[in-house]
């Protein structure tokens, strides 16, 4: 074991030296090919609107515009708006544009092949170097995890829980309404109702109507009423089990819906606080909004003054 330690250490050192060498070679290649502008040889929409360079990891926004991952994240760190539309934008709303990235790879491959055929080795090397960067580009794992805010993750989990609980509640509701107990209560109530009508037609006044079984069935199953004292333990156990299953299926669904609603309100408040500064600036530059603000302020001030005069007159009349 003691003899293998120096060997492992030597292997680790050699691996580290090799990685440093590869990194240095890549950086030197980038600097050597920096004077070649690939943007002049590829489609204009493949360039990032911020850096005006070919995108390595294009990210699409809700407005449909695509930016390079590094450029848009640096932009959003300074100002949380879309650079082209000035609409509020957060990193959680960015998604990789795989279709555009595949198009970039395809055009770079075609450019490298065409440049080799024409003997332009520098352009071919620059295209293949960029091709390597685009293929290796990926979002950092910590960025992917941070892209979704904690509040949004909690809302998503509540939505998943609500879906499961609602399915359980729906199945239990179907079983309860179509159970033998409910159907038999309905049939016996229908039979008693027919007997009562026949007795009224025949003129038998001795037939007295019975209490509907279905109403009593629903009352004891859905309401927290105590069972009658004369019930034996099997009836009490059956009623407790039925209520327990109904509560077990409905209560978690109600809790998840309530929690999800509260979190949605909190998420909406956080979003309002996030875009407030930007929207205040946009509102201050909107002519229609400024006119509306002036009209509302004038009506409010004039109405408050008239109300003050009316109260003063009433006070003076009451003192007479």
């Amino acid at each position: 074991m003691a003899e293998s330690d120096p060997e492992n250490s030597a292997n680790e050192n050699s691996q580290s030296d090799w990685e440093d060498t590869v990194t240095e070679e890549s950086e030197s290649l980038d600097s050597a090919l920096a004077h070649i502008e690939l943007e002049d040889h590829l489609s204009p929409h493949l360039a990032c609107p911020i850096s005006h360079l070919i995108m390595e990891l294009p990210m699409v926004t809700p407005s449909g515009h695509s930016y390079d991952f590094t450029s848009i994240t640096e932009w959003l760190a300074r100002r949380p708006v879309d650079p082209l539309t000035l609409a509020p934008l957060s990193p959680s709303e960015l998604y990789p544009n795989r279709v555009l990235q595949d198009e970039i790879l395809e055009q770079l491959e075609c450019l490298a092949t065409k440049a080799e055929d024409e003997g332009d080795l520098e352009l071919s090397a620059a295209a293949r170097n960029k091709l390597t960067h685009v293929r290796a580009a990926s979002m950092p794992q910590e960025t992917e995890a941070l892209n979704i805010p904690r509040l949004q993750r909690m809302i998503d989990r509540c939505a998943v829980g609500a879906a499961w609980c609602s399915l359980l509640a729906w199945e239990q509701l179907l079983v309860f309404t179509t159970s033998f107990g409910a159907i038999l209560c309905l049939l016996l109530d229908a039979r008693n109702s027919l007997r009562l009508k026949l007795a009224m037609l025949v003129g038998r006044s001795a037939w007295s109507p019975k209490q509907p079984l279905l109403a009593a069935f629903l009352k004891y199953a859905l309401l927290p009423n105590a069972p009658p004292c004369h019930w034996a333990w099997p009836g009490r156990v059956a009623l407790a089990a039925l209520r327990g299953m109904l509560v077990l299926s409905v209560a978690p669904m109600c809790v998840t819906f309530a929690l999800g609603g509260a979190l949605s309100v909190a998420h909406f408040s956080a979003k309002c606080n996030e875009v407030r500064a930007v929207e205040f600036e946009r509102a201050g530059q909107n002519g229609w909004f400024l006119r509306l603000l002036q009209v509302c302020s004038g009506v409010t001030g004039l109405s408050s003054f008239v109300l003050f005069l009316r109260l003063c007159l009433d006070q003076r009349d009451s003192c007479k």
Side-chain angles (χ1 to χ4, degrees), residues 150-159 256-270:
R150 183 192 304 176
L151 193 59
Q152 186 61 45
R153 290 199 299 268
M154 294 176 64
I155 294 176
D156 294 341
R157 290 173 183 172
C158 286
T256 52
F257 271 104
L259 183 58
L263 291 175
S264 298
V265 172
H267 178 67
F268 177 75
S269 302

Side-chain angles (χ1 to χ4, degrees), residues 36-54:
I36 300 178
E37 297 182 355
L38 296 175
E39 295 74 26
D40 298 335
H41 304 275
L42 300 178
S43 300
H45 69 278
L46 302 183
C48 176
I50 301 175
S51 64
H52 304 290
L53 301 176
I54 299 300

Side-chain angles (χ1 to χ4, degrees), residues 29-320:
L29 181 61
D30 292 341
S31 59
L33 300 175
H35 66 283
I36 300 178
E37 297 182 355
L38 296 175
E39 295 74 26
D40 298 335
H41 304 275
L42 300 178
S43 300
H45 69 278
L46 302 183
C48 176
I50 301 175
S51 64
H52 304 290
L53 301 176
I54 299 300
M55 292 179 279
E56 296 182 358
L57 182 59
M59 306 294 292
V60 63
T61 65
S63 61
H65 299 289
S66 293
Y67 307 93
D68 189 62
F69 172 75
T70 303
S71 300
I72 190 61
T73 50
E74 292 178 355
W75 174 279
L76 293 179
R78 298 190 300 269
R79 192 178 183 192
V81 295
D82 192 311
L84 294 179
T85 64
L86 297 182
L89 182 65
S90 62
S92 61
E93 297 175 301
L94 298 175
Y95 294 95
N97 192 340
R98 302 300 183 189
V99 176
L100 186 58
Q101 190 175 25
D102 293 340
E103 185 178 356
I104 294 173
L105 292 172
E106 181 180 355
Q107 291 200 24
L108 284 173
E109 187 69 37
C110 293
L111 177 62
T113 304
K114 181 180 178 181
E116 286 180 358
D117 295 340
E118 295 176 353
D120 192 344
L121 299 182
E122 284 191 353
L123 180 59
S124 175
R128 296 206 175 276
N129 183 48
K130 190 67 174 180
L131 194 63
T132 303
H133 284 283
V134 174
R135 285 173 177 167
S138 62
M139 292 178 60
Q141 294 182 356
E142 61 272 13
T143 304
E144 292 179 352
L146 292 175
N147 257 355
I148 303 178
R150 183 192 304 176
L151 193 59
Q152 186 61 45
R153 290 199 299 268
M154 294 176 64
I155 294 176
D156 294 341
R157 290 173 183 172
C158 286
V160 172
W164 284 57
C165 294
S166 61
L167 177 60
L168 177 62
W170 176 251
E171 290 295 329
Q172 296 306 309
L173 179 62
L174 289 178
V175 172
F176 174 70
T177 55
T178 60
S179 62
F180 284 113
I183 293 176
L184 291 176
C185 288
L186 181 62
L187 292 176
L188 288 177
D189 287 345
R191 188 195 66 174
N192 293 335
S193 178
L194 289 175
R195 283 187 175 182
L196 179 60
K197 290 182 179 180
L198 289 175
M200 293 175 62
L201 291 175
V202 174
R204 294 175 55 187
S205 59
W207 180 265
S208 59
K210 297 182 179 180
Q211 182 183 6
L213 286 177
L214 186 59
F217 180 82
L218 295 176
K219 181 182 72 173
Y220 284 116
L222 302 179
L223 299 178
N225 296 329
C229 299
H230 64 275
W231 281 21
W233 69 267
R236 294 175 178 271
V237 171
L239 179 61
L242 178 60
R243 288 177 175 176
M245 290 301 101
L246 293 178
V247 170
L248 181 63
S249 59
V250 175
M253 182 187 67
C254 296
V255 171
T256 52
F257 271 104
L259 183 58
L263 291 175
S264 298
V265 172
H267 178 67
F268 177 75
S269 302
K271 189 67 176 179
C272 291
N273 187 48
E274 177 183 342
V275 303
R276 181 179 57 183
V278 177
E279 292 305 317
F280 280 3
E281 181 180 349
R282 293 178 63 190
Q285 299 173 356
N286 188 287
W288 287 101
F289 181 80
L290 293 178
R291 294 190 190 96
L292 177 62
L293 184 62
Q294 292 173 358
V295 170
C296 293
S297 300
V299 171
T300 302
L302 181 60
S303 301
S304 62
F305 180 70
V306 172
L307 178 60
F308 163 75
L309 292 178
R310 182 67 263 177
L311 292 175
C312 286
L313 292 175
D314 290 345
Q315 186 183 43
R316 186 186 64 178
D317 295 338
S318 64
C319 293
K320 289 182 179 180

